[in-house]
Amino acid sequence: MMKEHLLERLRSLDAASRIGQLKKESDAPVLAEWGSSGVRFASTGRLETVYYNALGKLLDCIVPTGGPMPILHEGGIYLGCWMESTGTINAELLSRFIPSVSESTYRAFAMHQREDGLMPYKITAGGPVFRQIQMVTPLARCVWNHAALHGQDGDFLPMMYAAMSGHDQWLAEHRDTRGTGAVEAFCTFDTGHDLSPRFWHVPDTPHLGNPAKVYPDSPILPFVAPDLTANVYCQRTYLGKIAEVLGGSGAEWREKAERSLQSLFAQCFDEEDYFFYDRDRQGRFVRVQSDVLLRVMACEVGDRSFFDTMLERYLLNTRKFFAKYPFTSMAMDDPRFDPFSSYNSWGGPTNFLSLIRAPHAFEYHGRQVELTWVMYPILAAIANMERFGQCLSPWTGEEGFTESYSPAILCVLDYVERLCGIMPTPEGELWFSGLVPYDFDHGEEIANHTAYSRTVDGITFELVNLPEESEILKDGKSMVRFPAGVRIITDRKGVLKGVLGLSARTVEGTLSYRGMELPFTVKGNELLAFDDGVMRKKHDIGLIFPTY
């Protein structure tokens, strides 16, 4: 039977043999740590081969830099570790697989902090670099999630809290020259938006290479920047949480976060367009609709109703950002949109950094089904990847500029785990997702049958997904059987907590658990809580459908 075949294949998989000869001394302990996670992936179709090719290239991106401990590098032509990506969202995803490298990456930014509080925007073999700020994903959220997953003992949280507090103070002193309470962009590279029309006629770097100086002869700079302001809002929110864990008060950070949020809406939100724009030196909106929106949403700005409106009007709109292979870095109906993906561009193509930042925005508001509509086409594109480039053509899914790019590599690992794997969460849950990639492109099989394993607190869990049914095994014994199209939620010991609808269709069937046969019906995004042997509806938020 297919299930037994997949399990046998899964259990016999050896990552080291799939990768082949290691290239450097630090690879062996890193690969051993991957092995201790118990993560394996097996499938029919092409995806399994791509998955282990990605893992091999991930090792190329983990390099000792400025010390004996390896840290994560951006990869490709980007020789070093960038705060915008490698030091935040990339490391946040890597934390589920190789946590020691994530932690050493975070620590590197704190260790290289300047005396005035500024943290480097990148770290290379030549040392830290401070030319610009280049922030997107909030570091404090990544640090918080890492500590929640792996424990809060030791000096990690105190060290990072002190460093991030100092960086916040530097931004307040040097990046609010207009006194708005928001955060200003002095150049293109402050947000990593290379070649975006958002920054046409703006220098790539700050004045004289000084992150505290803006080009004085610019008619439009500085920009009050929505993504930078949202970053600081979210950063301050999580700094408040960390402060409380460390025995202090988070009240001051929450007050600061609220002021940042108020400034974001006062300065950057256009009620008519329902979009966030930069505000230029003349007080005008820079009306370029870019992935700034997705960045702001990933910083936990607004409630579910607000996010739903953004989905309808923009993120799931095929005229705006919901391309065949979403999300574009510019709105497609903007005449400045350029889908060309053969160079480093945020002027149109789908960037893997956007793809790995997106899940938090969707999951924060319970939009799990809508997220699968993004993952399905991207996994179809991933199944054809060989180089692991920075971006994709939004029309064809063909991989574009550079190679061995860690955001692309981590997108493979992350999307497989979210769609059809076993994912641990900072809240202490395990997500067993009963879906398989869909054959969107020419009907060519990607992975119609999958198996996934992960070791959690010494317990080995396995998940087998077939087109119609899924099964979870705990230490080799059947734990749960359930119909495809739902996510099983448990605690870290495998105790059932609930069932989430992951499909646009209503799923009806029976869940087998601990000798009980539990009939259930669940709609997309509906959550059923399991309590005292009974399934009860916890919430049902419905679906937000694509628009045109």
Side-chain angles (χ1 to χ4, degrees), residues 359-517:
H360 185 78
F362 281 71
E363 291 171 352
Y364 182 74
H365 295 292
R367 291 293 166 199
Q368 309 282 358
V369 175
E370 292 83 352
L371 179 60
T372 68
W373 303 338
V374 178
M375 292 194 290
Y376 279 131
I378 296 304
L379 281 169
I382 281 172
N384 293 315
M385 288 176 65
E386 297 178 354
R387 293 183 290 104
F388 302 96
Q390 174 180 332
C391 49
L392 295 171
S393 163
W395 302 155
T396 68
E398 182 179 358
E399 58 184 327
F401 177 71
T402 201
E403 61 185 355
S404 299
Y405 184 61
S406 66
I409 293 164
L410 288 161
C411 189
V412 176
L413 307 182
D414 182 56
Y415 276 27
V416 165
E417 185 159 284
R418 288 180 193 274
L419 190 82
C420 54
I422 305 166
M423 179 174 158
T425 74
E427 293 75 29
E429 294 180 340
L430 298 179
W431 292 355
F432 299 84
S433 299
L435 298 174
V436 292
Y438 193 79
D439 302 334
F440 267 96
D441 292 352
H442 311 291
E444 296 179 2
E445 183 183 354
I446 302 167
N448 291 342
H449 308 80
T450 68
Y452 197 94
S453 68
R454 177 179 273 282
T455 301
V456 181
D457 302 335
I459 303 170
T460 297
F461 294 99
E462 296 165 318
L463 170 66
V464 180
N465 286 329
L466 307 180
E468 300 298 328
E469 185 181 62
S470 299
E471 183 173 7
I472 303 167
L473 296 93
K474 177 180 178 181
D475 287 334
K477 297 180 180 179
S478 181
M479 186 180 91
V480 184
R481 290 197 316 276
F482 57 100
V486 303
R487 172 177 290 156
I488 302 300
I489 301 170
T490 75
D491 66 12
R492 290 177 67 91
K493 294 181 179 180
V495 176
L496 181 64
K497 295 182 66 175
V499 176
L500 177 74
L502 271 188
S503 173
R505 63 183 170 86
T506 297
V507 176
E508 186 173 359
T510 300
L511 186 149
S512 301
Y513 173 69
R514 291 185 172 178
M516 293 179 282
E517 298 295 316

Side-chain angles (χ1 to χ4, degrees), residues 193 196 273-277 287-295 297 309-334 337 346-351 354-355 358 362 373-374 377-378 392-395 546-548:
H193 253 154
S196 171
D273 289 354
Y274 222 76
F275 204 90
F276 292 95
Y277 297 116
R287 293 188 182 276
V288 175
Q289 293 182 349
S290 72
D291 78 308
V292 157
L293 175 63
L294 188 57
R295 294 176 174 198
M297 293 296 95
T309 301
M310 293 304 185
L311 287 179
E312 289 180 322
R313 294 186 64 162
Y314 293 103
L315 295 176
L316 295 182
N317 186 331
T318 62
R319 185 182 291 270
K320 295 292 185 179
F321 297 98
F322 200 48
K324 178 175 172 59
Y325 300 91
F327 294 103
T328 56
S329 46
M330 277 278 295
M332 289 176 280
D333 62 355
D334 189 308
F337 171 76
W346 287 84
T350 297
N351 274 261
S354 291
L355 293 173
F362 281 71
W373 303 338
V374 178
I378 296 304
L392 295 171
S393 163
W395 302 155
T547 55
Y548 309 99

Side-chain angles (χ1 to χ4, degrees), residues 142-284:
C142 303
V143 166
W144 171 266
N145 287 338
H146 176 81
L149 271 174
H150 303 292
Q152 299 169 347
D153 296 334
D155 70 337
F156 174 66
L157 272 183
M159 176 188 187
M160 296 306 301
Y161 177 76
M164 293 184 293
S165 299
H167 188 71
D168 181 90
Q169 184 61 35
W170 189 94
L171 291 171
E173 292 176 358
H174 299 282
R175 286 305 186 100
D176 184 18
T177 63
R178 292 156 64 177
T180 63
V183 184
E184 295 165 352
F186 287 2
C187 64
T188 303
F189 290 170
D190 275 341
T191 68
H193 253 154
D194 304 48
L195 297 187
S196 171
R198 172 189 183 188
F199 287 110
W200 281 358
H201 310 294
V202 167
D204 283 341
T205 59
H207 187 52
L208 304 177
N210 185 336
K213 291 185 179 295
V214 64
Y215 176 42
D217 293 328
S218 171
I220 54 177
L221 289 179
F223 285 173
V224 180
D227 45 352
L228 295 179
T229 305
N231 177 294
V232 168
Y233 157 70
C234 191
Q235 181 93 345
R236 288 172 165 179
T237 299
Y238 279 87
L239 280 169
K241 295 182 179 183
I242 296 172
E244 291 174 343
V245 165
L246 295 178
S249 170
E252 184 178 353
W253 285 117
R254 287 192 292 271
E255 291 170 5
K256 287 183 176 181
E258 182 59 29
R259 291 199 295 270
S260 292
L261 187 63
Q262 291 174 359
S263 298
L264 170 67
F265 278 90
Q267 294 294 319
C268 301
F269 186 63
D270 179 48
E271 289 280 358
E272 183 176 348
D273 289 354
Y274 222 76
F275 204 90
F276 292 95
Y277 297 116
D278 297 293
R279 190 179 289 273
D280 75 4
R281 182 176 176 176
Q282 310 306 324
R284 303 168 303 182

